[in-house]
Amino acid sequence: MASCVIRRGLLSTLNKYSKTHTLSVTLFTADPNSRHEVNRCRLQCPTRGVFNVLQQRFMSSRPEGKVLETVGVFEAPKQHGKYETGQLFLHSVFGYRGIVLFPWHARLYDRDITPQASHSKPEPPGAHGSKEVKGKTHTYYQVLIDTRDCPHISQRSQTEAVTFLANHDDSRALYAIPGLDYVSHEDILPYNSTDQVPIQHELFERFLMFDPSKVPPFVPRDTLRAWQEKNHPWLELSDVHRETTENIRVTVIPFYMGMREAQNSHVYWWRYCIRLENLGNEVVQLRERHWRIFSLSGTLETVRGRGVVGREPVLSKEQPAFQYSSHVSLQAPSGHMWGSYRLERPNGTFFDVRIPPFSLESKKDDTPSGFLPGPFTSLA
């Protein structure tokens, strides 16, 4: 199982030590009769003693009995540069084990700060506020999630969030690749392992091969390169939008999916991934969503509803984040979206959290070029 560690405490500890220190990760499963599991991450340093970081998290399922499992050896997180294909990691927020496939260089538009950069995003029509947002380059990674950890994160993060449009002649609308995710550079807690197959995922051995002469010792196969090239337009992460309201940070990543013809008109599709994160100490629960969707054709649609993707997640200090994906279609090649979430405090009062405005932009090539290789899950 993944080590569910808090980045604030663990990263500060890891950054203090050089590569000569041994950072070993052990995972401990608590009393099987308990509805909580305690994971212990033990950091061993020859000159500084032993540090323990403990965090409780709810598990939807787990093996019976106590389990003691060595995952690997932590490495110092990279403050500069990027991680290479084959880098093993723990996700600092959701705690799952994963492996890096390849990086994406995105533009991060953070409305909480004003970085000195030449790129800027104007407010969409009708959006409130007039703050100019300047972007900076930020690295994200396409990763595989260890399938053993999927049951433990499914209530906090969708494990089938990366979707594709089916081919024109396919009666099913969408396909998903289970266990595929996008991870920000600062959410990577790198480690190494002597296991030749340290990640369990159906695509692991199709995409990567073990090469002990390399660092990291997992190198891309031709299959991974071909898959990345064929699906680049639908996988590419280009813009990231972020804004914080009353200690609730909302991050939005839009993806163009392609165009389809329906009833003699063109319909353009996008998916968007959203992460809500509670940066404070107060427990809150998401109750409602309110979207405004503007199309280049001149239409403005308002969407209201309970929760998101059928859930009303609780954000607490122990479980601070929730991540999900959804889809939108327009009969125009571009548009804008913005809105808000309504959250409830323990005392029954409500407050609104702003969803940062973002653009929906199409691309020239609107025909998916194939999904090599599987597995896939049909969503329609």
Side-chain angles (χ1 to χ4, degrees):
M1 280 162 230
S3 174
C4 188
V5 289
I6 303 176
R7 174 161 51 90
R8 298 170 190 164
L10 184 54
L11 278 180
S12 61
T13 303
L14 290 174
N15 289 334
K16 292 179 182 178
Y17 304 112
S18 67
K19 295 180 180 179
T20 60
H21 295 110
T22 300
L23 301 176
S24 64
V25 185
T26 58
L27 306 178
F28 177 72
T29 301
D31 186 347
N33 296 319
S34 171
R35 285 185 55 82
H36 289 77
E37 178 178 87
V38 178
N39 291 326
R40 173 175 296 141
C41 174
R42 178 175 297 164
L43 308 182
Q44 294 181 334
C45 171
T47 59
R48 299 296 183 95
V50 177
F51 300 84
N52 290 319
V53 179
L54 294 177
Q55 180 183 1
Q56 289 188 342
R57 62 171 178 162
F58 176 76
M59 290 299 185
S60 58
S61 63
R62 48 172 165 64
E64 292 300 323
K66 295 183 179 181
V67 177
L68 185 64
E69 177 186 2
T70 299
V71 171
V73 179
F74 266 128
E75 300 172 353
K78 287 189 176 183
Q79 303 300 314
H80 305 285
K82 62 181 177 63
Y83 296 105
E84 301 297 329
T85 296
Q87 176 66 60
L88 295 167
F89 69 92
L90 298 179
H91 195 293
S92 69
V93 175
F94 296 111
Y96 65 72
R97 288 165 288 185
I99 191 166
V100 171
L101 295 180
F102 45 81
W104 293 110
H105 299 294
R107 299 297 304 177
L108 172 61
Y109 299 94
D110 193 335
R111 303 183 70 83
D112 301 325
I113 59 175
T114 308
Q116 297 298 317
S118 58
H119 296 75
S120 63
K121 287 284 184 181
E123 287 281 326
H128 57 287
S130 59
K131 177 174 30 175
E132 181 183 50
V133 184
K134 295 185 177 181
K136 64 177 181 179
T137 301
H138 193 76
T139 302
Y140 275 73
Y141 300 93
Q142 196 86 68
V143 307
L144 294 180
I145 302 172
D146 194 311
T147 56
R148 293 170 292 184
D149 298 333
C150 288
H152 308 311
I153 64 171
S154 60
Q155 297 301 311
R156 313 302 301 176
S157 178
Q158 291 176 323
T159 57
E160 295 186 355
V162 180
T163 54
F164 300 85
L165 286 180
N167 293 323
H168 286 278
D169 55 356
D170 197 320
S171 61
R172 290 160 292 190
L174 294 174
Y175 283 92
I177 300 183
L180 193 65
D181 199 5
Y182 294 84
V183 179
S184 177
H185 183 87
E186 66 267 20
D187 287 338
I188 297 284
L189 294 176
Y191 73 92
N192 61 66
S193 171
T194 57
D195 192 343
Q196 294 189 20
V197 187
I199 300 296
Q200 290 188 14
H201 191 287
E202 189 168 347
L203 293 177
F204 179 84
E205 292 186 271
R206 300 190 195 185
F207 281 168
L208 301 161
M209 69 176 71
F210 181 72
D211 185 344
S213 67
K214 303 293 184 180
V215 179
F218 305 100
V219 296
R221 295 180 183 270
D222 291 341
T223 310
L224 175 59
R225 298 187 183 96
W227 182 79
Q228 180 184 7
E229 181 179 353
K230 291 174 73 67
N231 296 287
H232 183 277
W234 331 114
L235 291 170
E236 183 182 15
L237 185 159
S238 57
D239 290 346
V240 179
H241 304 266
R242 181 182 294 167
E243 184 167 2
T244 303
T245 308
E246 297 194 38
N247 287 325
I248 305 299
R249 184 166 65 191
V250 179
T251 303
V252 183
I253 309 176
F255 299 86
Y256 179 61
M257 298 178 67
M259 181 270 292
R260 289 291 178 271
E261 294 184 4
Q263 298 179 349
N264 298 321
S265 65
H266 291 169
V267 179
Y268 299 83
W269 286 83
W270 292 264
R271 74 177 182 271
Y272 52 92
C273 180
I274 294 185
R275 179 162 123 184
L276 296 96
E277 189 168 4
N278 188 350
L279 305 180
N281 296 320
E282 187 177 46
V283 178
V284 297
Q285 185 170 11
L286 192 154
R287 292 300 191 185
E288 299 177 9
R289 69 188 185 278
H290 178 203
W291 281 106
R292 291 181 180 272
I293 307 168
F294 176 80
S295 171
L296 186 64
S297 62
T299 62
L300 179 62
E301 182 181 3
T302 298
V303 178
R304 292 180 180 271
R306 294 285 296 182
V308 291
V309 293
R311 302 180 188 178
E312 297 182 19
V314 174
L315 305 178
S316 64
K317 190 174 181 180
E318 291 74 25
Q319 297 283 3
F322 180 79
Q323 183 171 289
Y324 74 97
S325 286
S326 192
H327 305 86
V328 62
S329 62
L330 301 176
Q331 291 185 335
S334 64
H336 300 278
M337 290 182 65
W338 67 97
S340 62
Y341 296 114
R342 177 152 292 184
L343 281 76
E344 183 179 7
R345 298 185 178 95
N347 62 8
T349 61
F350 294 86
F351 66 101
D352 291 335
V353 171
R354 192 179 186 205
I355 303 172
F358 57 96
S359 298
L360 302 171
E361 303 290 345
S362 62
K363 300 177 182 179
K364 292 181 179 180
D365 184 0
D366 292 318
T367 304
S369 53
F371 311 113
L372 170 69
F376 304 102
T377 300
S378 175
L379 300 183

